[in-house]
Amino acid sequence: MYFLKCDRCGHFNPVDSEYLVYCGKCKTHLPDNYIDWVGKYSDKNFDDYKRMMCVTESEVPKHAPTLIDKKPQVKEEEIAPPQQKQKKRLTRAQWIGLVTGALFAGIFSFLGKKAAVAVKEYYQISKMRGMDFAPSDTTNWNAFQCTEASFSMNFPKVPTESAQVVETEIGNLEVKQYIFEPELGKDPNILYGAGFTTYPAEYIDGEQMDEEQLAEFFENSINGTVQNVQGRLLSTHIINYKGFPGREIKVDVRDGLAVIKMRSYLIRNHMYIVQVISPSSNTFNKSINYFLDSFELNE
C-alpha cells in the first residue's frame, strides 16, 4: 500500500487508484495527485508515480492518521444509546465541505483513465490543434437505459460503467458513472459521460431548499468542477429539467486545448450530471447537444 501526504493537514491518504485528487480528511486539493503529475511526465505510469511521489506503509509514521486506521475499541459502558437523527440545514461551511469535498472529488473521474491519458497526450504533443475530427453523425447511436437511477440517454456506443465511493461528513456517497470515449479522430468529440449520486434526503433535497441555498449549492459545484480540472470557467447558465433546478457550464481545459460542456440537475436528493468533452476547435458540433438533450428521467 502506498500513501500520499496532504501538505495542509498532514493526513496520509491511501493511493489505491489514479483518481485520488482530494485529501480524505480536510477535502483540499492534493497538488501532487497522479492526474496532475502524469501531465508533466508523459513517459511515466501509475507505478512510477507511486514509487517516486508516495511513501509505503512502513514509511508512514506510527502516530500519523490514515483512512485505513482501525477504530479504537470502546468499552461497553462507554457506548451511548443511539440517538434519533434530526433534520437540519447545513451551514455555509458544511455546504462547501459537502459539495466540493464529496461530489466533485469524484467528478474528475468522469474523464476516466483513458480520457485522462488522452488529455495528457494532447497536452504533450499538441495533437488536437492540427487534427481533423470526424463530422457529427447520430444516426446509429444507442439508447442507454440506467435502471438503477431511472434515466435514459443516447450514446454513440454502449458506455462503460464505473463507481467511486467518496467519504463525506455525512457518510459515504457513491458516484456512478457511464462513459464512452471514442477513438481519437473517429468522432467529433473526445468523451461522453453521464452519472449520478444520491444524497441523504435529510441533508439535501432540492424541493426543500430555498433559492439562496440552491444558488450556493450550484456555485460550489461549479467551483469544484473548475478547480478539479484546473480549468477556466467560460460560461454558466441557469437551466431546469421539468421544473427541477440545474446549471449548464462550459469549462476551458489546458489553455484552449479542450472544452467541457456540462449540465447538472438536482432532482430531489439525486444529482444527475451529463457532459461532453470536445476539442476547442470543434465545440459547436451537433453531437454535443444531441447527447445532452437526450437525458430523460424515467419516472
Side-chain angles (χ1 to χ4, degrees), residues 135-144 153-159 180 182 186-189 191-193 275-276 285-295:
S136 294
D137 184 3
T138 60
T139 55
N140 295 315
W141 281 37
N142 294 270
F144 170 74
M153 292 199 72
N154 293 328
F155 276 84
K157 301 291 183 182
V158 177
F180 172 67
K186 301 297 185 181
D187 187 276
N189 299 301
L191 179 140
Y192 300 85
Q275 71 168 2
V276 179
N285 68 82
K286 70 176 185 178
S287 294
I288 298 174
N289 283 344
Y290 183 84
F291 174 76
L292 299 177
D293 292 341
S294 70
F295 174 80

Side-chain angles (χ1 to χ4, degrees), residues 34 37-52 117 120:
Y34 174 71
W37 182 85
V38 77
K40 303 174 184 177
Y41 304 99
S42 60
D43 58 332
K44 305 295 183 183
N45 57 34
F46 187 48
D47 290 332
D48 295 327
Y49 166 77
K50 289 188 289 187
R51 288 192 297 267
M52 297 172 64
V117 174
K120 174 206 69 177

Side-chain angles (χ1 to χ4, degrees), residues 126-135 183-189 279 281-282:
S126 299
K127 193 172 183 179
M128 286 176 55
R129 300 190 188 281
M131 183 173 186
D132 293 328
F133 284 77
E183 182 181 348
L184 180 63
K186 301 297 185 181
D187 187 276
N189 299 301
S281 60
N282 201 24

Side-chain angles (χ1 to χ4, degrees), residues 85-90 199-205 269:
K85 290 185 178 180
Q86 295 182 352
K87 294 186 178 182
K88 61 180 181 179
R89 291 182 180 273
L90 301 182
Y199 292 108
E202 64 266 30
Y203 287 93
I204 294 182
D205 186 338
N269 64 319

Side-chain angles (χ1 to χ4, degrees), residues 144-298:
F144 170 74
Q145 297 282 342
C146 178
T147 55
E148 182 176 357
S150 300
F151 76 90
S152 61
M153 292 199 72
N154 293 328
F155 276 84
K157 301 291 183 182
V158 177
T160 300
E161 177 182 347
S162 63
Q164 179 172 346
V165 177
V166 182
E167 292 191 355
T168 77
E169 297 87 345
I170 59 175
N172 293 341
L173 297 180
E174 184 178 45
V175 181
K176 284 288 187 71
Q177 302 132 27
Y178 305 90
I179 299 169
F180 172 67
E181 184 203 3
E183 182 181 348
L184 180 63
K186 301 297 185 181
D187 187 276
N189 299 301
I190 303 168
L191 179 140
Y192 300 85
F196 73 96
T197 192
T198 299
Y199 292 108
E202 64 266 30
Y203 287 93
I204 294 182
D205 186 338
E207 292 186 323
Q208 303 299 320
M209 295 160 61
D210 57 33
E211 292 185 4
E212 182 179 355
Q213 289 176 320
L214 285 171
E216 187 172 14
F217 177 88
F218 283 109
E219 180 182 356
N220 292 330
S221 300
I222 292 169
N223 290 340
T225 302
V226 175
Q227 181 183 10
N228 237 342
V229 300
Q230 297 184 353
R232 180 171 60 91
L233 183 63
L234 299 176
S235 64
T236 178
H237 300 283
I238 298 175
I239 59 175
N240 73 84
Y241 174 79
K242 296 183 178 180
F244 294 105
R247 295 292 187 273
E248 178 183 286
I249 64 172
K250 281 188 177 182
V251 180
D252 172 88
V253 182
R254 299 289 189 182
D255 296 324
L257 195 63
V259 173
I260 301 173
K261 187 171 183 179
M262 176 187 293
R263 293 178 185 174
S264 56
Y265 305 103
L266 182 59
I267 301 179
R268 302 182 183 90
N269 64 319
H270 307 287
M271 185 73 161
Y272 295 86
I273 295 177
V274 294
Q275 71 168 2
V276 179
I277 304 176
S278 59
S280 58
S281 60
N282 201 24
T283 58
F284 294 99
N285 68 82
K286 70 176 185 178
S287 294
I288 298 174
N289 283 344
Y290 183 84
F291 174 76
L292 299 177
D293 292 341
S294 70
F295 174 80
E296 187 72 27
L297 195 61
N298 304 320

